[in-house]
Amino acid sequence: MSEQGTQQGEERLHSARAIVWARRRAALSTFWRLYRTQRAGLVGLAILIAITLLTVLAPLYTDEAELRASNAPGGRMESPSTEFWFGTDQTGRSILLMVIWGARVSLQVGVVAAVLAVTLGTLIGMAAAHFGGWISWVLMRLTDWFIVLPNLVLAIALVIALGPSRITIIAAIALTSWASTARVVRAQTMAIEGRPYIERAQALGAGHWHQMTRHVLPNLMPLVLASATLQVSSAILAEASLSFLGLGDPSQPSWGTILERAFDAGAISVGAWWYMLPPGIAILLVVLAFTLCGRAMESVLNPRLRDNT
């Protein structure tokens, strides 16, 4: 009998897991079906896929060694030509090559910083709404303090204090951009915890961890994902701003670093528009693409916005 009971228990467990995965596949299928109706979101997704492929596959069709000034293949400040589509910089390096490899740094910093910021904001917002009392007061006053402070000024201070590097820039951007997410998550968590199934879970003896991970967080995920997508564009702009101010990682080119070097080389005064325009357009395209995807996800995941479109 014990073996039969064990076997039945395993069958029920597998059946429950199968049901969960079936629901997840159905949810993803529904999400994609609704997302395809958002034309702007499809445009943004296509731009992101194209830029990601060009960035990830860069080692296959380019030579990273040409990024070093000693291996520069061109002349100084050459205008765009069939050999150098975007021209060259003051040391003869290809601007196109620098933009392609700079995308790897800018996208990595933007995505990682956005994920860290949204994760921190989600945890603080959930804790403030769930526990309430003095914990909520302390966390919200801390959130208000970060909202009031200028993000860029605080990020500059952190990078100067810790030293310019890729890790420092990621940490500075994440620590200065989580507050808005925390406020939104707190409000949504309070709305979720007022629903009847949360009260039933509490009556059945569910602890804080069970309530937050099994009931609150799954209902927050659509909001968190949309917020993370929008946060990436802000993080990329912040990285470009810090790098343009000379606080970027000097060993790795990013779009902001290219703009900073172009400014130092006097590209504006000599009319070398090809030095500053490509990285600027690249930043614009990526920020626009993430914004379009984020707005489309908001419309799909928020029934109220979907009904109004």
Side-chain angles (χ1 to χ4, degrees):
M1 293 296 293
S2 60
E3 293 181 358
Q4 291 180 353
T6 303
Q7 185 177 2
Q8 291 177 355
E10 292 178 353
E11 290 177 354
R12 285 195 295 268
L13 180 60
H14 289 307
S15 177
R17 289 177 178 176
I19 293 173
V20 170
W21 282 107
R23 289 177 178 175
R24 290 176 180 175
R25 287 193 295 268
L28 289 175
S29 177
T30 303
F31 170 81
W32 176 241
R33 178 174 54 81
L34 294 174
Y35 189 90
R36 286 185 299 177
T37 62
Q38 304 289 327
R39 295 183 179 179
L42 290 177
V43 172
L45 183 61
I47 294 174
L48 289 180
I49 291 175
I51 293 176
T52 302
L53 289 176
L54 289 174
T55 302
V56 172
L57 300 178
L60 300 179
Y61 63 91
T62 61
D63 185 6
E64 186 181 6
E66 294 182 1
L67 292 174
R68 293 192 292 268
S70 57
N71 297 330
R76 182 179 181 275
M77 288 287 194
E78 290 186 10
S79 59
S81 61
T82 55
E83 183 179 2
F84 302 104
W85 292 1
F86 291 176
T88 61
D89 67 352
Q90 69 272 25
T91 61
R93 292 175 295 182
S94 171
I95 302 296
L96 176 59
L97 183 67
M98 294 170 64
V99 169
I100 292 174
W101 282 88
R104 298 169 70 91
V105 178
S106 295
L107 290 177
Q108 181 187 32
V109 171
V111 172
V112 175
V115 170
L116 292 177
V118 171
T119 301
L120 181 60
T122 301
L123 293 176
I124 291 177
M126 288 177 61
H130 181 78
F131 294 105
W134 67 269
I135 296 179
S136 177
W137 187 89
V138 171
L139 292 178
M140 285 299 99
R141 298 297 75 77
L142 180 65
T143 302
D144 293 339
W145 186 75
F146 273 95
I147 288 177
V148 171
L149 286 177
N151 291 352
L152 183 59
V153 175
L154 184 57
I156 291 173
L158 289 174
V159 174
I160 292 176
L162 300 176
S165 68
R166 193 182 308 184
I167 297 178
T168 302
I169 291 176
I170 291 173
I173 295 174
L175 289 174
T176 57
S177 56
W178 59 266
S180 58
T181 301
R183 274 208 166 275
V184 174
V185 168
R186 175 179 177 270
Q188 187 66 18
T189 301
M190 293 177 66
I192 293 172
E193 292 197 341
R195 296 173 183 173
Y197 62 85
I198 298 293
E199 296 179 0
R200 287 196 297 268
Q202 293 174 350
L204 292 173
H208 298 298
W209 179 257
H210 181 88
Q211 295 177 40
M212 296 176 71
T213 57
R214 296 296 181 89
H215 300 291
V216 177
L217 187 58
N219 287 281
L220 283 175
M221 285 309 296
L223 175 67
V224 171
L225 291 175
S227 178
T229 306
L230 294 172
Q231 192 74 41
V232 173
S233 58
S234 300
I236 291 175
L237 287 175
E239 187 277 331
S241 301
L242 292 172
S243 297
F244 181 75
L245 294 174
L247 299 175
D249 188 353
S251 62
Q252 294 289 337
S254 69
W255 291 334
T257 304
I258 298 172
L259 291 173
E260 186 262 339
R261 291 174 180 173
F263 183 80
D264 291 342
I268 298 177
S269 59
V270 300
W273 55 267
W274 58 87
Y275 201 166
M276 304 192 71
L277 197 59
I281 293 177
I283 294 173
L284 176 63
L285 283 176
V286 170
V287 170
L288 176 63
F290 274 109
T291 302
L292 292 176
C293 290
R295 295 302 180 190
M297 290 179 63
E298 267 189 331
S299 299
V300 171
L301 298 174
N302 190 335
R304 295 178 181 178
L305 295 177
R306 188 167 65 244
D307 294 339
N308 293 331
T309 57

